[in-house]
Amino acid sequence: MKLIVLGLSLGSSWGNGHATTFRALLKAFAARGHDVLFLEREVPWYAGAHRDLVDPDFCRLEYYPDLAALESWKDEIAAADAVIVGSYVPDGVAVGRFVQAHARTSAFYDIDTPVTLAKLERGDFEYLSPEIVPGYDVYLSFTGGPTLDRLERHYGSPAARALFCSVDADKYRPLDVPKKWDLTYLGTYSPDRQPTLDTLLVEVARRCPDKRFAVAGPQYPDDIDWPANVDRIEHLPPVDHADFYSASRMTLNVTRADMIAAGWSPSVRLFEAAACGTPILSDRWDGLDQLFEPGREIMLADTTEDAIAALREDAAAMGQAARANVLAAHTADHRAEELERHLNEAMNKKGERMTHTTRLNGKLTLVAGGAGFIGSHLCAALLAKGDHVVCLDNLQTARPSNLRELESHPNFEFVEADITGPLPASVADRAHRFGRVYNLACAASPPQYQADPEHTMLTCVVGTSHLLRLAEQAGARFLLTSTSEVYGDPEMHPQQEGYRGFVNCTGPRACYDEGKRAAEALTFDYGRMGRAEVRVARIFNTYGPHMNPDDGRVVSNLVCQALSGDPITIYGDGSQTRSFCYVSDMVAGLMALMESGGDGLQPVNLGNPNEMTVNELLGHVLALTGSTAAVEHRPLPIDDPRRRRPDIDRAKALLDWEPRVPLAEGLAATCAWFAEELGGAGGQPMVAAAE
Ligand code: UDP
């Protein structure tokens, strides 16, 4: 395969463990017949004399000066089979977004997982942010165990897999040198490791003056009182490591606090010491026993006494067993094989996802109006499908409680904003990441949209324009939810999409009807001009849970009034007709339309053709609730359409879609939901059994 890696460094091992890790892994990976390109950000501290690998023979190594320069690698990134971004890559979040937008399969390789997660938790997004985790097809981690679960469940990674460090078995092997020390430790000073080093080595040295010890590594403070039988080696170059281990009867493995907390985080030193056949005395952490068998391949110690007891044992066989284990499972060749397996798995899964879902290259789905009645159900369905959803809503008519169940979903984000204004930076700044834009943002109930008609008109026209521009910039597909109101008080029945409508452009409904007609015009213009791929749904009356009890529409009014025993308001004589579609059917229709083929340059009616009068609807509501509330007739609102019923032949043909939920079922679910919302409303009869 062709693999591109954007890692912290391959060219310089100066002050970082990444270069040696990448060198070993990619060399072994290339040896398996793969083509590797390493892209490294040019930074002054890894340049000049600090560059200790200039022209690797196992891969191409190229430098890019800054983020903007990555643009020139776009085609190569798009052509690669997989692209890996490593931890600590400068501007890692932006690099990650760029890679996710262009690569066929992307992976994050975290050589510092516990550090990364601690950073994410405190809001430090130096090289990774929670929002881009789901966009990586696989998260490869130096830490295994429950951390992988956390990455998948909490952060929404589609697949988190362990890819531990490994050992270079050519460099780390037993050497025939005399034993100089009984117990050694090789490692840079670290305050969190020092107490263990004190307990398991320094104090042991004090109590065993006849034995010899060594501590190799830089940065130990001058005030440490080393016993006389401890040799201090300030700098031990890697070429001398095998010699050091081979001269040790036993060596100590001390783990950093964050690695102990995470568990399942073997250090490279652990594998290197084992590869030299040196018996290892280790501190204790979860997962260690799954790598080395305690008592057979490794010894564990908590106290000075434990360490002294270990020194008394003849542990040579243990060293050999640990070495055999490392050679069988922890060399760079093993890691390269695992990497190949994980990438293949990600590529295959990605292939499946691309044919089954809209989520291309980890793209985001924007749902404007996502906190509203239909919008909240749409968000839930998109999340269930695996989309990463950004919900934008001004909460004008929506209820935040509609999002209660979605808020904790790792792939869900809520942004409070009004689309009549410029889109907020949290959306605009990552425009390129959106793959789908749904526009459901607008008050849709007659009393609500007439309450602030100017805002309604601007939401339809200016708001839609803002979202269309976003879709154009993103290269995203855009879906407008238009309305059956574009047909006005129709003279054609049922209404087909070809019917041009009978709208009163000067009446109180015009702000919505004409607003949506203008929004349609704008959307189709974008589509015709090739500025965005567009879809337009004309939504007919829809009902279900999450309707606002104060919404003012007929289903919510009648159900709430019936449940609470308030007078039931019927406008006019109740002989006007509507056709009511249950919300889950509507959401399925919207998603099917979004993903449908064709040029999208024709509107599609979505609704349930099951037409009934308002009086008939009332009959169903009364039967279901057992309510005996009185009916109060009110004047018919101006321009209230007399009849409405969708012709859904186009939706059937184009989307293979039609409503499935019968009124009795949908209404029962709706009544039950409102009954719960209203909290049992004053002892009035509650929902009777569904018909
Ligand atoms: N309606 C009614 N009582 C109400 C609310 C609405 O009789 O409490 C009537 C309204 O006049 C219209 C029909 O029910 O004829 C549907 O109204 P809704 O507000 O649900 O939406 P519309 O279809 O008019 O957009």
Side-chain angles (χ1 to χ4, degrees), residues 171-253:
K171 294 198 183 108
Y172 290 85
R173 58 196 167 84
L175 300 179
D176 191 15
V177 295
K179 300 287 180 213
K180 274 207 252 178
W181 300 291
D182 295 284
L183 182 65
T184 59
Y185 175 69
L186 170 57
T188 305
Y189 170 78
S190 146
D192 64 339
R193 280 193 294 230
Q194 194 58 27
T196 308
L197 186 64
D198 283 340
T199 307
L200 300 183
L201 190 145
V202 179
E203 188 53 29
V204 176
R206 269 194 206 107
R207 295 206 211 160
C208 304
D210 54 323
K211 297 205 182 293
R212 303 240 17 115
F213 301 82
V215 173
Q219 290 167 24
Y220 285 83
D222 292 339
D223 59 359
I224 294 181
D225 181 18
W226 300 104
N229 55 342
V230 176
D231 292 337
R232 269 290 293 131
I233 303 167
E234 180 66 24
H235 178 63
L236 190 73
V239 289
D240 295 336
H241 286 184
D243 208 86
F244 177 79
Y245 285 129
S246 300
S248 311
R249 279 200 183 82
M250 186 173 288
T251 197
L252 193 61
N253 175 60

Side-chain angles (χ1 to χ4, degrees), residues 446 485 509 541 553-554 557 569 571 576 578 614 640 644:
E485 296 253 344
R509 290 178 96 104
N541 295 63
R553 269 179 286 197
V554 68
N557 274 6
T569 54
Y571 303 160
Q576 68 274 33
R578 295 291 186 272
V614 167
D640 196 276
R644 187 184 286 158

